[in-house]
Amino acid sequence: MLEELRGRRAIVTGGAAGIGLAIARQFHAAGMRVAIADLDAAAAGKAAAELGPEHMGIAIDVRERASVVQAFESVVQRFGGYDVLAANAGVSSMKLVVDLADADWDFNMDVNAKGIFLTNQAAVRHFLAENRKGVIVNTASLAGKWGAPWLAHYSASKFAVVGFTQALAREVAEHGIRVNCVCPGFVRTGMQSREVEWEASLRQMTPEAVVQDYINQTPMGRLEEPEDVAKTVLFLASDLAGFVTGEALNVTGGVRMD
């Protein structure tokens, strides 16, 4: 499977669970060496150890420049460099706009938007310094194309990811560096479980009814799995997507089709 990826090296932020862990597993299956970077250093180390000794787990706080630089430099020291960044770290919370506090806004924007900026900038600097035609795949969201009620602050942060991805892709295309993002829909993760509880409370319905509403909105008739996203990231990281850059690719089972 995608033999050209064998031996390439990748960093996956937010890689200890959910979509990030699924991405790391897909990269591993393709023969890549993976650095799983996560705020939870112990979980990152455990996930890397489960994949195999050729991989590594590292602590990272994508909100902090020094943490990003240190984490990425540790990958260079261990792997000799890296070829792919899957910038996946993200958070969410759910409130009506009238109830949002500054802290809610800042938390979502700092992780989801600033984190993309800091990690992408570090990766591009590395690729340019090494004259490497690297690949970046950012995790945006369905909410980055459609303003989601109760998630205005989250939507704003993910719209930022889409716009940043497009702008950066234009800047670095002449160097052979590709930058894309994926826009997942209703993905069955721990984050979604929390959101279901919040949405059920806000909409005064049961969590089961919220999940069924997600399924009803999905033409393919089921919840999305982390692997659905991870396989798309693998494609974008591969040479099969060698002429694809600046895209915000829907991975929603048909919820969004433009």
Side-chain angles (χ1 to χ4, degrees):
M1 180 177 67
L2 303 175
E3 284 297 319
E4 79 276 3
L5 290 175
R6 187 166 300 279
R8 294 186 189 175
R9 303 149 299 178
I11 300 173
V12 182
T13 68
I19 292 172
L21 182 55
I23 293 170
R25 287 171 172 163
Q26 287 292 321
F27 284 173
H28 163 72
M32 300 173 70
R33 297 174 71 189
V34 185
I36 296 177
D38 202 280
L39 188 62
D40 187 337
K46 180 181 178 182
E50 289 175 352
L51 289 182
E54 69 273 27
H55 308 296
M56 65 182 292
I58 49 175
I60 194 170
D61 185 341
V62 297
R63 300 169 294 181
E64 301 292 338
R65 178 178 295 277
S67 178
V68 171
V69 170
Q70 181 177 11
F72 283 25
E73 285 182 348
S74 71
V75 176
V76 174
Q77 292 169 7
R78 172 77 178 273
F79 290 172
Y82 53 92
D83 309 283
V84 177
L85 168 65
N88 168 77
V91 296
S92 70
S93 58
M94 190 174 287
K95 288 183 180 179
L96 292 165
V97 171
V98 294
D99 295 326
L100 281 175
D102 290 358
D104 299 314
W105 178 270
D106 292 344
F107 181 52
N108 279 261
M109 294 300 292
D110 284 351
V111 176
N112 298 343
K114 185 180 178 183
I116 290 291
F117 157 58
L118 291 175
T119 56
N120 281 217
Q121 183 186 63
V124 167
R125 286 175 172 174
H126 173 71
F127 296 152
L128 291 175
E130 296 292 317
N131 194 27
R132 189 183 310 282
K133 295 180 180 180
V135 178
I136 297 173
V137 185
N138 296 319
T139 300
S141 174
L142 170 64
K145 292 190 172 182
W146 173 73
W150 314 291
L151 287 166
H153 51 317
Y154 176 78
S155 278
S157 71
K158 292 300 189 177
F159 267 82
V161 173
V162 173
F164 180 85
T165 297
Q166 293 175 350
L168 180 59
R170 290 183 182 278
E171 288 188 17
V172 300
E174 65 179 296
H175 302 287
I177 300 169
R178 297 189 293 107
V179 188
N180 293 288
C181 63
V182 289
C183 296
F186 301 116
V187 189
R188 193 199 307 268
T189 62
M191 180 183 289
Q192 185 194 76
S193 296
R194 293 189 295 274
E195 291 174 349
V196 165
E197 294 293 334
W198 297 332
E199 187 167 341
S201 177
L202 286 163
R203 297 176 67 183
Q204 297 184 330
M205 52 197 297
T206 66
E208 293 76 15
V210 172
V211 171
Q212 187 58 52
D213 183 44
Y214 293 169
I215 295 171
N216 291 345
Q217 292 182 61
T218 306
M220 295 193 75
R222 63 170 174 84
L223 287 180
E224 186 169 356
E225 300 295 341
E227 292 73 21
D228 295 317
V229 186
K231 290 174 183 177
T232 306
V233 173
L234 182 67
F235 160 71
L236 290 172
S238 78
D239 293 350
L240 291 176
F243 205 61
V244 179
T245 197
E247 290 297 323
L249 186 56
N250 297 329
V251 192
T252 67
V255 180
R256 185 85 183 190
M257 295 188 178
D258 61 355

